[in-house]
Amino acid sequence: MDRPRDDTLYPPIEPYESGMLDVGDGNLVYWEVCGNPDGKPALVVHGGPGSGSTPRSRRYFDPDRYRVVLFDQRGCGRSTPHASEPATDMRHNTTAHLIADMERLRVHLNIDKWLLYGGSWGSTLILAYAEEHPERVTEVVIQAVTTTRRSEIDWLYRGAGQLFPEAWAAFRAGVPETDDPAGLVAAYARRMESEDAAVREKATTDWCAWEDAVLSMEAIPGPPPYGSRPGREQQALVRICSHYFAHGAWLEEGRLLARAHRLTGIPAALIHGRFDLAGPLLTAWELDRAWPDAMLTVIDNAGHMGGTETRRAVLAALDGFAGKA
């Protein structure tokens, strides 16, 4: 299917198949498939963690050439149980669990290999999966590269406060029980486990206000991306984010970069905004140097959320990979 311009997404499409996959531990993961049933398999790995998949992601793929799979990671979107529910047990929601869920979904859909596309937290999960199962990955397209090192987490929730001191002071004040600025994420994670709904709601509001502050210099149309989410989705996002980041995503520091050699032979397009304050360019540059088959494209006028040039680069990469076996 032709697109009118090189920065225009493909027309909206609807799934032709969907379901709830039992992944164990009482979790059901929502999945859907759209595009061409005989097309090249591709998996969309959403960010957050805890953001859930969006219909817009379907539109990056040529529906005539791709069989596109989307899923909601544990605890968010249409997956159950939902992390906004206080009774939902978070012990069975880790990076290792999500990797296993992706493999279980691949087998369930009878897919041998697939292209992986995602960004932000999604890129961390893509890299973790691909390094664990390189034989199952044909290509990778990542927008806004992260590896969720503790140093990256520290920058986002403490270091970036140097640029937004007033917003960071409010974020810091949200957890007065800790005297250690480095312990803010863990303190928020504890608050999101409180039995008091008011405590959880206040922590959610404070966390989203900080996330929006970090993105405030980007030309993002519409309402703030975090604060404007419905309350249920907000609470799940913050609970899952703080849970993952308080544990360094259960990844040994620097593990994904150190094991990038396992990705040899997998072509990749890494697309990153030079003014990404949520995930500075350094990580993408380091990954590009460690991954021989990756090509980094730096978008000089973009940040974490991207824009026209970022969208153009993603579409070009996906279109370019569409015809490869």
Side-chain angles (χ1 to χ4, degrees):
M1 179 180 293
D2 294 331
R3 288 182 283 109
R5 301 192 310 273
D6 62 358
D7 64 343
T8 302
L9 300 179
Y10 286 97
I13 55 175
E14 294 298 320
Y16 64 78
E17 186 180 12
S18 64
M20 301 291 286
L21 180 65
D22 187 342
V23 294
D25 310 312
N27 283 272
L28 297 176
V29 166
Y30 172 82
W31 60 270
E32 65 181 42
V33 189
C34 56
N36 182 351
D38 298 318
K40 179 186 181 75
L43 178 69
V44 177
V45 185
H46 68 68
S51 289
S53 61
T54 64
R56 180 182 172 85
S57 297
R58 306 170 190 156
R59 300 182 60 195
Y60 280 91
F61 298 85
D62 183 338
D64 292 336
R65 297 196 288 172
Y66 275 106
R67 177 188 179 194
V68 187
V69 181
L70 292 85
F71 75 111
D72 292 333
Q73 294 161 31
R74 292 191 183 202
C76 68
R78 287 151 288 188
S79 294
T80 61
H82 204 261
S84 63
E85 300 295 332
T88 298
D89 189 347
M90 299 296 289
R91 291 177 301 170
H92 302 299
N93 197 332
T94 70
T95 302
H97 285 100
L98 299 186
I99 292 172
D101 294 349
M102 291 163 68
E103 262 300 272
R104 188 175 276 112
L105 179 59
R106 182 190 63 78
V107 172
H108 177 73
L109 296 175
N110 196 29
I111 291 173
D112 182 46
K113 299 180 179 181
W114 47 12
L115 175 148
L116 304 179
Y117 163 65
S120 194
W121 157 256
S123 66
T124 293
L125 186 53
I126 284 172
L127 294 170
Y129 174 90
E131 290 180 5
E132 194 69 24
H133 302 285
E135 74 284 358
R136 298 304 180 188
V137 181
T138 55
E139 301 91 11
V140 167
V141 177
I142 291 175
Q143 172 190 335
V145 178
T146 71
T147 63
T148 315
R149 288 175 292 184
R150 287 157 183 81
S151 59
E152 295 171 51
I153 297 167
D154 181 69
W155 162 259
L156 178 55
Y157 297 106
R158 189 175 67 90
Q162 298 175 68
L163 303 175
F164 307 99
E166 66 279 31
W168 189 80
F171 181 60
R172 173 77 180 82
V175 284
E177 64 271 20
T178 179
D179 294 325
D180 179 13
L184 294 185
V185 172
Y188 271 97
R190 289 191 293 272
R191 286 196 160 226
M192 291 306 297
E193 298 302 320
S194 173
E195 295 181 358
D196 189 334
V199 170
R200 298 194 304 274
E201 290 170 7
K202 176 66 163 53
T204 297
T205 298
D206 291 343
W207 182 284
C208 289
W210 170 247
E211 296 275 12
D212 284 334
V214 174
L215 300 178
S216 62
M217 295 179 66
E218 301 187 22
I220 307 169
Y226 285 86
S228 62
R229 296 173 188 241
R232 182 172 181 265
E233 282 72 20
Q234 266 192 0
Q235 288 209 12
L237 173 66
V238 175
R239 189 180 182 197
I240 295 171
C241 274
S242 59
H243 170 64
Y244 271 72
F245 296 160
H247 292 91
W250 299 272
L251 296 169
E252 180 183 348
E253 186 71 354
R255 173 184 174 86
L256 298 182
L257 287 171
R259 295 189 0 136
H261 61 89
R262 292 180 57 81
L263 305 174
T264 299
I266 301 174
L270 310 178
I271 301 154
H272 204 96
R274 188 173 297 280
F275 297 111
D276 187 339
L277 298 182
L281 178 59
L282 177 62
T283 297
W285 182 79
E286 290 173 327
L287 180 61
D288 180 57
R289 287 170 63 86
W291 188 350
D293 299 281
M295 183 173 70
L296 173 63
T297 299
V298 179
I299 310 298
D300 284 328
N301 61 351
H304 193 71
M305 302 294 287
T308 299
E309 294 298 325
T310 302
R311 183 167 61 249
R312 184 176 293 153
V314 170
L315 286 165
L318 291 171
D319 284 348
F321 289 141
K324 296 186 177 182

